[in-house]
Amino acid sequence: MVIGVLALQGDVREHMAALADVGCESRPVKRVADAGGLAGLVLPGGESTTLSMLLDSTGLFDAVAGLLDDGLPVLGTCAGLVLLAQDVLDGRPDQRFFGALSAVVRRNGYGRQLQSFESEVAVGCGFGGGFGGGFGGGSGEAPPLPAVFIRAPVVVSVGDEVDVLATLDGAPVLVRQGAVLAAAFHPELTADRRIHRLFAGMCGGGAD
Ligand code: GLN
């Protein structure tokens, strides 16, 4: 089983290292030919407007859209969340996004004064079946997740079909809709591997 990591821009190596930590083989996806035979795909952080342009120029936009239509599990982080959203506020007019996640996001929504910050986000309640066995190990509350936010998008609203797995100040920061898992922050930049482990499980693999 191999998970692809979109490798046009952003923190590709960190995601590949995090996937290795949870027992998953991964490979960078730079062109359409790299996108075949994957068990899942990571859309890393970076700059969603640049990623949109590069996805277009490589032909990967349509290839990835097709994979998402087919239900390929996907993990989007930060700019990756923006790419997955149904609607993007404060984006560029020519910016494209996949619309695979029933959510409205505001690019750079945490504002200039808080462009980057680290916080702990609560995951102990409210995530129902969304996390399956991936978080907390069953009984009791799961420990909070360390979360690094870098010019992060704010999730303004989500549809009923979206499970909110973690929030910060009332706003969803980790969400799941079926095969789509998305975080406003950067789980690959901290040592907590619960999100990558959950994603590995969604892809049908991974080990503790
Ligand atoms: N602000 C970026 C965007 O809109 C996201 C930043 C990030 O991925 N760290 O795409």
Side-chain angles (χ1 to χ4, degrees):
M1 179 191 103
V2 179
I3 294 177
V5 180
L6 185 73
L8 301 175
Q9 196 217 19
D11 39 5
V12 177
R13 263 180 311 168
E14 291 84 350
H15 271 294
M16 293 182 69
L19 289 168
D21 284 349
V22 298
C24 285
E25 200 182 322
S26 63
R27 76 161 177 257
V29 174
K30 293 184 176 180
R31 52 188 75 83
V32 172
D34 303 326
L38 297 173
L41 180 66
V42 176
L43 304 178
E47 176 49 58
S48 59
T49 53
T50 307
L51 284 165
S52 164
M53 268 166 28
L54 295 171
L55 280 162
D56 256 342
S57 63
T58 53
L60 271 168
F61 192 93
D62 291 340
V64 171
L67 293 173
L68 297 181
D69 267 358
D70 292 345
L72 185 78
V74 64
L75 167 63
T77 58
C78 202
L81 163 64
V82 177
L83 286 173
L84 288 169
Q86 194 128 64
D87 204 3
V88 177
L89 308 177
D90 292 344
R92 277 177 39 158
D94 58 349
Q95 174 168 8
R96 296 180 73 191
F97 35 92
F98 294 113
L101 176 69
S102 178
V104 178
V105 305
R106 184 178 297 283
R107 246 184 97 228
N108 302 329
Y110 284 98
R112 284 181 184 281
Q113 284 173 324
L114 286 178
Q115 284 205 333
S116 300
F117 61 99
E118 196 161 346
S119 189
E120 287 202 324
V121 298
V123 294
C125 55
F127 47 83
F131 261 106
F135 260 53
S139 61
E141 295 232 326
L145 264 174
V148 177
F149 293 80
I150 305 171
R151 300 186 310 283
V154 166
V155 177
V156 175
S157 63
V158 294
D160 288 345
E161 58 276 56
V162 175
D163 282 326
V164 175
L165 306 185
T167 58
L168 179 68
D169 297 334
V173 291
L174 178 65
V175 293
R176 178 173 179 183
Q177 180 182 349
V180 178
L181 181 65
F185 54 92
H186 287 266
E188 74 286 4
L189 297 183
T190 52
D192 192 311
R193 288 288 163 261
R194 281 177 287 171
I195 291 180
H196 286 85
R197 190 168 294 120
L198 170 63
F199 183 59
M202 288 165 57
C203 299
D208 285 332

